[in-house]
Structure formats: C-alpha cells, structure tokens
Short mmCIF file of all heavy atoms in Angstrom, two decimals:
data_model
loop_
_atom_site.label_atom_id
_atom_site.label_comp_id
_atom_site.label_asym_id
_atom_site.label_seq_id
_atom_site.Cartn_x
_atom_site.Cartn_y
_atom_site.Cartn_z
N MET A 197 156.03 56.90 126.21
CA MET A 197 155.44 57.55 125.02
C MET A 197 155.63 56.68 123.78
O MET A 197 156.72 56.18 123.50
CB MET A 197 156.13 58.90 124.78
CG MET A 197 155.69 59.99 125.74
SD MET A 197 154.00 60.44 125.56
CE MET A 197 154.15 61.78 124.39
N THR A 198 154.58 56.52 123.05
CA THR A 198 154.66 55.74 121.84
C THR A 198 154.26 56.60 120.65
O THR A 198 153.45 57.51 120.78
CB THR A 198 153.76 54.50 121.91
OG1 THR A 198 152.46 54.92 122.30
CG2 THR A 198 154.27 53.50 122.89
N LYS A 199 154.86 56.27 119.55
CA LYS A 199 154.47 56.96 118.32
C LYS A 199 153.66 56.03 117.45
O LYS A 199 153.66 54.82 117.67
CB LYS A 199 155.72 57.42 117.57
CG LYS A 199 156.30 58.70 118.15
CD LYS A 199 157.45 59.18 117.29
CE LYS A 199 157.97 60.49 117.83
NZ LYS A 199 159.10 60.95 117.04
N GLY A 200 153.03 56.61 116.46
CA GLY A 200 152.29 55.77 115.52
C GLY A 200 150.82 55.66 115.87
O GLY A 200 150.29 56.45 116.64
N THR A 201 150.20 54.69 115.32
CA THR A 201 148.75 54.54 115.40
C THR A 201 148.22 54.47 116.84
O THR A 201 147.20 55.08 117.12
CB THR A 201 148.29 53.31 114.60
OG1 THR A 201 148.96 53.29 113.37
CG2 THR A 201 146.80 53.34 114.37
N PRO A 202 148.85 53.77 117.76
CA PRO A 202 148.31 53.69 119.12
C PRO A 202 148.14 55.05 119.78
O PRO A 202 147.23 55.24 120.58
CB PRO A 202 149.34 52.85 119.87
CG PRO A 202 149.96 52.03 118.83
CD PRO A 202 150.02 52.89 117.61
N SER A 203 148.99 56.01 119.45
CA SER A 203 148.89 57.33 120.06
C SER A 203 147.67 58.11 119.58
O SER A 203 147.35 59.15 120.13
CB SER A 203 150.15 58.14 119.79
OG SER A 203 150.38 58.26 118.42
N MET A 204 147.02 57.62 118.55
CA MET A 204 145.80 58.27 118.08
C MET A 204 144.71 58.21 119.13
O MET A 204 143.78 59.00 119.12
CB MET A 204 145.30 57.59 116.79
CG MET A 204 146.13 57.87 115.58
SD MET A 204 146.01 59.56 115.00
CE MET A 204 144.55 59.42 113.96
N GLY A 205 144.84 57.29 120.04
CA GLY A 205 143.86 57.16 121.11
C GLY A 205 143.85 58.35 122.05
O GLY A 205 142.87 58.60 122.74
N LYS A 206 144.95 59.10 122.05
CA LYS A 206 145.03 60.27 122.91
C LYS A 206 144.29 61.45 122.31
O LYS A 206 144.04 62.44 122.97
CB LYS A 206 146.49 60.65 123.12
CG LYS A 206 147.26 59.61 123.90
CD LYS A 206 148.59 60.19 124.39
CE LYS A 206 149.39 59.16 125.15
NZ LYS A 206 150.18 58.30 124.27
N LYS A 207 143.96 61.33 121.03
CA LYS A 207 143.23 62.41 120.38
C LYS A 207 141.77 62.36 120.79
O LYS A 207 140.92 61.78 120.11
CB LYS A 207 143.35 62.27 118.86
CG LYS A 207 144.69 62.73 118.33
CD LYS A 207 144.95 62.15 116.96
CE LYS A 207 144.08 62.79 115.90
NZ LYS A 207 144.62 64.06 115.42
N SER A 208 141.47 62.95 121.91
CA SER A 208 140.09 62.94 122.38
C SER A 208 139.67 64.35 122.75
O SER A 208 140.50 65.24 122.91
CB SER A 208 139.94 62.01 123.58
OG SER A 208 140.80 62.44 124.61
N GLY A 209 138.40 64.53 122.89
CA GLY A 209 137.90 65.82 123.31
C GLY A 209 137.54 66.70 122.13
O GLY A 209 136.56 66.43 121.44
N LYS A 210 138.36 67.71 121.89
CA LYS A 210 138.03 68.68 120.85
C LYS A 210 138.03 68.06 119.47
O LYS A 210 138.93 67.32 119.10
CB LYS A 210 139.02 69.84 120.89
CG LYS A 210 138.82 70.71 122.09
CD LYS A 210 139.82 71.86 122.12
CE LYS A 210 139.73 72.59 123.42
NZ LYS A 210 140.39 71.82 124.50
N LYS A 211 137.04 68.42 118.72
CA LYS A 211 136.86 67.86 117.39
C LYS A 211 137.05 68.97 116.37
O LYS A 211 136.34 69.97 116.41
CB LYS A 211 135.44 67.29 117.30
CG LYS A 211 135.15 66.47 116.09
CD LYS A 211 133.83 65.74 116.31
CE LYS A 211 133.03 65.68 115.04
NZ LYS A 211 131.69 65.15 115.28
N ASN A 212 138.04 68.82 115.54
CA ASN A 212 138.31 69.84 114.54
C ASN A 212 137.92 69.41 113.15
O ASN A 212 137.66 70.24 112.29
CB ASN A 212 139.79 70.22 114.56
CG ASN A 212 140.14 71.04 115.79
OD1 ASN A 212 139.41 71.95 116.15
ND2 ASN A 212 141.24 70.71 116.43
N PHE A 213 137.92 68.11 112.92
CA PHE A 213 137.62 67.62 111.59
C PHE A 213 136.31 66.85 111.57
O PHE A 213 136.03 66.04 112.45
CB PHE A 213 138.74 66.70 111.09
CG PHE A 213 140.03 67.43 110.83
CD1 PHE A 213 141.05 67.42 111.74
CD2 PHE A 213 140.20 68.14 109.65
CE1 PHE A 213 142.24 68.08 111.51
CE2 PHE A 213 141.38 68.80 109.39
CZ PHE A 213 142.40 68.78 110.32
N ILE A 214 135.53 67.15 110.56
CA ILE A 214 134.31 66.36 110.35
C ILE A 214 134.37 65.75 108.95
O ILE A 214 135.26 66.08 108.17
CB ILE A 214 133.03 67.22 110.50
CG1 ILE A 214 133.08 68.42 109.57
CG2 ILE A 214 132.83 67.64 111.95
CD1 ILE A 214 131.74 69.09 109.39
N ARG A 215 133.43 64.92 108.63
CA ARG A 215 133.45 64.25 107.34
C ARG A 215 133.24 65.27 106.22
O ARG A 215 132.33 66.09 106.28
CB ARG A 215 132.37 63.16 107.30
CG ARG A 215 132.53 62.22 106.13
CD ARG A 215 131.43 61.19 106.13
NE ARG A 215 130.11 61.80 106.09
CZ ARG A 215 129.53 62.26 104.99
NH1 ARG A 215 130.14 62.17 103.83
NH2 ARG A 215 128.34 62.80 105.04
N CYS A 216 134.09 65.18 105.23
CA CYS A 216 134.01 66.10 104.11
C CYS A 216 132.89 65.72 103.17
O CYS A 216 132.68 64.55 102.88
CB CYS A 216 135.35 66.10 103.37
SG CYS A 216 135.32 67.08 101.88
N ARG A 217 132.19 66.75 102.69
CA ARG A 217 131.05 66.53 101.80
C ARG A 217 131.51 66.07 100.42
O ARG A 217 130.79 65.42 99.70
CB ARG A 217 130.29 67.86 101.69
CG ARG A 217 129.00 67.83 100.97
CD ARG A 217 128.00 68.83 101.58
NE ARG A 217 128.55 70.15 101.83
CZ ARG A 217 128.37 71.21 101.01
NH1 ARG A 217 127.68 71.07 99.90
NH2 ARG A 217 128.85 72.38 101.32
N ARG A 218 132.72 66.46 100.04
CA ARG A 218 133.18 66.16 98.70
C ARG A 218 133.97 64.85 98.62
O ARG A 218 133.72 64.03 97.76
CB ARG A 218 134.03 67.32 98.17
CG ARG A 218 134.32 67.18 96.70
CD ARG A 218 134.70 68.49 96.08
NE ARG A 218 136.01 68.94 96.56
CZ ARG A 218 136.62 70.01 96.06
NH1 ARG A 218 136.05 70.72 95.12
NH2 ARG A 218 137.77 70.38 96.53
N CYS A 219 134.96 64.67 99.54
CA CYS A 219 135.80 63.48 99.43
C CYS A 219 135.36 62.37 100.37
O CYS A 219 135.80 61.23 100.23
CB CYS A 219 137.26 63.83 99.67
SG CYS A 219 137.65 64.30 101.35
N GLY A 220 134.49 62.71 101.33
CA GLY A 220 133.95 61.68 102.21
C GLY A 220 134.86 61.30 103.36
O GLY A 220 134.51 60.46 104.17
N LYS A 221 136.05 61.92 103.43
CA LYS A 221 136.95 61.63 104.52
C LYS A 221 136.69 62.59 105.68
O LYS A 221 136.15 63.68 105.47
CB LYS A 221 138.42 61.80 104.06
CG LYS A 221 138.85 60.76 103.06
CD LYS A 221 140.23 61.10 102.56
CE LYS A 221 140.62 60.18 101.42
NZ LYS A 221 141.81 60.69 100.73
N ALA A 222 137.10 62.18 106.86
CA ALA A 222 136.91 63.04 108.03
C ALA A 222 138.05 64.04 108.13
O ALA A 222 138.79 64.08 109.10
CB ALA A 222 136.83 62.20 109.29
N THR A 223 138.21 64.84 107.08
CA THR A 223 139.32 65.77 107.02
C THR A 223 138.86 67.20 106.77
O THR A 223 139.65 68.05 106.42
CB THR A 223 140.31 65.36 105.90
OG1 THR A 223 139.57 65.03 104.73
CG2 THR A 223 141.13 64.16 106.32
N TYR A 224 137.57 67.44 106.95
CA TYR A 224 137.05 68.80 106.78
C TYR A 224 137.19 69.56 108.09
O TYR A 224 136.60 69.19 109.10
CB TYR A 224 135.59 68.75 106.32
CG TYR A 224 135.03 70.11 106.00
CD1 TYR A 224 135.29 70.71 104.77
CD2 TYR A 224 134.24 70.78 106.91
CE1 TYR A 224 134.78 71.97 104.47
CE2 TYR A 224 133.72 72.04 106.63
CZ TYR A 224 134.00 72.62 105.40
OH TYR A 224 133.50 73.86 105.12
N HIS A 225 138.00 70.62 108.07
CA HIS A 225 138.25 71.38 109.28
C HIS A 225 137.11 72.35 109.56
O HIS A 225 136.75 73.16 108.70
CB HIS A 225 139.58 72.14 109.14
CG HIS A 225 140.19 72.49 110.46
ND1 HIS A 225 139.75 73.55 111.22
CD2 HIS A 225 141.19 71.91 111.16
CE1 HIS A 225 140.48 73.61 112.33
NE2 HIS A 225 141.36 72.62 112.31
N ILE A 226 136.57 72.26 110.75
CA ILE A 226 135.39 73.06 111.08
C ILE A 226 135.75 74.54 111.19
O ILE A 226 135.06 75.40 110.67
CB ILE A 226 134.77 72.55 112.41
CG1 ILE A 226 134.27 71.11 112.23
CG2 ILE A 226 133.62 73.44 112.83
CD1 ILE A 226 133.87 70.46 113.54
N ARG A 227 136.83 74.84 111.89
CA ARG A 227 137.19 76.24 112.11
C ARG A 227 137.79 76.88 110.86
O ARG A 227 137.53 78.04 110.55
CB ARG A 227 138.17 76.34 113.29
CG ARG A 227 137.46 76.09 114.63
CD ARG A 227 138.43 76.14 115.78
NE ARG A 227 139.02 77.47 115.90
CZ ARG A 227 140.18 77.71 116.51
NH1 ARG A 227 140.86 76.72 117.03
NH2 ARG A 227 140.65 78.92 116.60
N LYS A 228 138.62 76.12 110.15
CA LYS A 228 139.22 76.65 108.92
C LYS A 228 138.24 76.60 107.77
O LYS A 228 138.43 77.25 106.73
CB LYS A 228 140.47 75.84 108.56
CG LYS A 228 141.63 76.08 109.49
CD LYS A 228 142.81 75.20 109.07
CE LYS A 228 143.97 75.34 110.03
NZ LYS A 228 145.06 74.42 109.68
N LYS A 229 137.20 75.75 107.93
CA LYS A 229 136.18 75.57 106.90
C LYS A 229 136.79 75.13 105.57
O LYS A 229 136.46 75.64 104.50
CB LYS A 229 135.34 76.85 106.71
CG LYS A 229 134.44 77.12 107.91
CD LYS A 229 133.27 78.00 107.51
CE LYS A 229 132.22 78.05 108.59
NZ LYS A 229 132.73 78.70 109.81
N LYS A 230 137.72 74.20 105.65
CA LYS A 230 138.22 73.60 104.44
C LYS A 230 138.73 72.20 104.71
O LYS A 230 139.10 71.87 105.84
CB LYS A 230 139.31 74.46 103.79
CG LYS A 230 140.46 74.80 104.68
CD LYS A 230 141.34 75.83 103.99
CE LYS A 230 142.43 76.34 104.89
NZ LYS A 230 143.16 77.45 104.27
N CYS A 231 138.75 71.42 103.66
CA CYS A 231 139.14 70.04 103.80
C CYS A 231 140.64 69.89 103.62
O CYS A 231 141.22 70.46 102.69
CB CYS A 231 138.40 69.19 102.77
SG CYS A 231 138.87 67.47 102.82
N ALA A 232 141.26 69.14 104.51
CA ALA A 232 142.71 68.94 104.44
C ALA A 232 143.07 67.95 103.36
O ALA A 232 144.22 67.89 102.93
CB ALA A 232 143.21 68.44 105.79
N SER A 233 142.12 67.17 102.93
CA SER A 233 142.41 66.13 101.96
C SER A 233 142.16 66.58 100.53
O SER A 233 143.03 66.44 99.68
CB SER A 233 141.56 64.90 102.27
OG SER A 233 141.87 63.87 101.37
N CYS A 234 140.99 67.16 100.26
CA CYS A 234 140.66 67.51 98.88
C CYS A 234 140.62 69.02 98.66
O CYS A 234 140.52 69.48 97.53
CB CYS A 234 139.33 66.87 98.47
SG CYS A 234 137.90 67.59 99.28
N GLY A 235 140.71 69.80 99.73
CA GLY A 235 140.72 71.24 99.57
C GLY A 235 139.33 71.84 99.44
O GLY A 235 139.20 73.00 99.04
N PHE A 236 138.32 71.10 99.80
CA PHE A 236 136.95 71.59 99.72
C PHE A 236 136.78 72.79 100.66
O PHE A 236 137.15 72.74 101.82
CB PHE A 236 135.98 70.46 100.08
CG PHE A 236 134.54 70.88 100.05
CD1 PHE A 236 133.94 71.21 98.84
CD2 PHE A 236 133.79 70.93 101.21
CE1 PHE A 236 132.61 71.58 98.79
CE2 PHE A 236 132.46 71.31 101.18
CZ PHE A 236 131.87 71.64 99.97
N GLY A 237 136.25 73.88 100.15
CA GLY A 237 136.12 75.09 100.95
C GLY A 237 137.28 76.04 100.68
O GLY A 237 137.19 77.23 100.90
N ASN A 238 138.35 75.50 100.16
CA ASN A 238 139.52 76.28 99.84
C ASN A 238 139.51 76.68 98.37
O ASN A 238 139.72 77.82 98.02
CB ASN A 238 140.77 75.46 100.16
CG ASN A 238 141.98 76.33 100.35
OD1 ASN A 238 141.87 77.49 100.71
ND2 ASN A 238 143.15 75.79 100.10
N SER A 239 139.26 75.70 97.52
CA SER A 239 139.19 75.97 96.10
C SER A 239 138.17 75.03 95.47
O SER A 239 137.77 74.03 96.07
CB SER A 239 140.55 75.76 95.44
OG SER A 239 140.92 74.41 95.52
N SER A 240 137.76 75.37 94.28
CA SER A 240 136.79 74.53 93.59
C SER A 240 137.45 73.30 93.00
O SER A 240 136.80 72.31 92.69
CB SER A 240 136.08 75.32 92.50
OG SER A 240 137.03 75.89 91.63
N LYS A 241 138.77 73.41 92.82
CA LYS A 241 139.50 72.25 92.30
C LYS A 241 139.92 71.34 93.44
O LYS A 241 139.98 71.77 94.59
CB LYS A 241 140.75 72.71 91.54
CG LYS A 241 140.43 73.41 90.24
CD LYS A 241 141.73 73.93 89.64
CE LYS A 241 141.41 74.97 88.56
NZ LYS A 241 142.57 75.81 88.30
N LEU A 242 140.24 70.12 93.10
CA LEU A 242 140.71 69.18 94.10
C LEU A 242 142.12 69.57 94.53
O LEU A 242 142.94 69.97 93.71
CB LEU A 242 140.74 67.76 93.53
CG LEU A 242 139.40 67.01 93.44
CD1 LEU A 242 139.61 65.70 92.73
CD2 LEU A 242 138.81 66.75 94.81
N ARG A 243 142.35 69.46 95.84
CA ARG A 243 143.69 69.74 96.36
C ARG A 243 144.66 68.70 95.83
O ARG A 243 144.47 67.50 96.01
CB ARG A 243 143.66 69.71 97.88
CG ARG A 243 144.93 70.18 98.54
CD ARG A 243 144.92 69.79 100.00
NE ARG A 243 145.01 68.33 100.16
CZ ARG A 243 146.14 67.69 100.42
NH1 ARG A 243 147.26 68.34 100.58
NH2 ARG A 243 146.15 66.38 100.54
N LYS A 244 145.66 69.15 95.14
CA LYS A 244 146.57 68.19 94.50
C LYS A 244 147.96 68.80 94.43
O LYS A 244 148.10 70.00 94.15
CB LYS A 244 146.06 67.86 93.10
CG LYS A 244 146.53 66.52 92.61
CD LYS A 244 145.69 66.08 91.41
CE LYS A 244 146.25 64.88 90.71
NZ LYS A 244 146.69 63.78 91.56
N TYR A 245 148.95 68.00 94.68
CA TYR A 245 150.33 68.46 94.60
C TYR A 245 151.12 67.52 93.71
O TYR A 245 150.85 66.33 93.64
CB TYR A 245 150.97 68.52 95.99
CG TYR A 245 150.32 69.55 96.89
CD1 TYR A 245 149.41 69.18 97.87
CD2 TYR A 245 150.64 70.91 96.74
CE1 TYR A 245 148.81 70.12 98.69
CE2 TYR A 245 150.05 71.85 97.55
CZ TYR A 245 149.14 71.47 98.52
OH TYR A 245 148.56 72.41 99.31
N SER A 246 152.14 68.10 93.07
CA SER A 246 152.93 67.32 92.14
C SER A 246 153.72 66.22 92.84
O SER A 246 154.04 65.20 92.25
CB SER A 246 153.90 68.23 91.38
OG SER A 246 154.70 68.95 92.29
N TRP A 247 154.05 66.47 94.11
CA TRP A 247 154.81 65.49 94.85
C TRP A 247 153.94 64.36 95.39
O TRP A 247 154.43 63.41 95.99
CB TRP A 247 155.59 66.15 95.98
CG TRP A 247 154.82 67.15 96.79
CD1 TRP A 247 154.87 68.52 96.65
CD2 TRP A 247 153.90 66.89 97.86
NE1 TRP A 247 154.03 69.10 97.56
CE2 TRP A 247 153.42 68.15 98.32
CE3 TRP A 247 153.43 65.73 98.47
CZ2 TRP A 247 152.49 68.25 99.36
CZ3 TRP A 247 152.51 65.85 99.50
CH2 TRP A 247 152.05 67.08 99.93
N GLN A 248 152.65 64.50 95.18
CA GLN A 248 151.74 63.48 95.66
C GLN A 248 151.86 62.23 94.78
O GLN A 248 151.86 62.33 93.56
CB GLN A 248 150.29 63.97 95.59
CG GLN A 248 149.77 64.45 96.91
CD GLN A 248 148.31 64.82 96.79
OE1 GLN A 248 147.84 65.19 95.73
NE2 GLN A 248 147.61 64.71 97.89
N LYS A 249 151.93 61.10 95.45
CA LYS A 249 151.93 59.85 94.70
C LYS A 249 150.50 59.34 94.62
O LYS A 249 149.76 59.41 95.58
CB LYS A 249 152.82 58.82 95.38
CG LYS A 249 154.29 59.08 95.12
CD LYS A 249 155.13 58.01 95.81
CE LYS A 249 156.61 58.32 95.60
NZ LYS A 249 157.45 57.50 96.46
N LYS A 250 150.19 58.84 93.47
CA LYS A 250 148.81 58.39 93.27
C LYS A 250 148.59 57.10 94.01
O LYS A 250 149.46 56.25 94.03
CB LYS A 250 148.53 58.18 91.77
CG LYS A 250 147.14 57.69 91.43
CD LYS A 250 146.13 58.83 91.44
CE LYS A 250 144.80 58.37 92.01
NZ LYS A 250 144.24 57.24 91.28
ZN1 ZN B 299 137.48 66.65 101.25
#
C-alpha cells in the first residue's frame, strides 16, 4: 500500500465530483450539489476559512 499521489490511480469507477461552474475545479459534488473548493451550491459567497493560507 502506498500513500500520496500514486494511490489516486485507485480512484476509479464512481464519479462524485465534476468541474465546478464557478471555480473551474473538479470539486463540485454531484450528490451534495455543492463545490468542495469554493462552496458553490452551498452559499453565494466563496467558501473561505480563516485558517486557509492564501
Ligand atoms: Zn467551485
């Protein structure tokens, strides 16, 4: 078992995230109907946390 980027290859089959309309990243969750990156579908504001580093 390996950790890190190579293990991403095991992520196959079910697709939960599609490209977000607002931030352009593939972090829009289809079932939750919100973006994990910018919060699109969750709130009108951008998802942002104080602990986030720019
Ligand atoms: Zn987004």
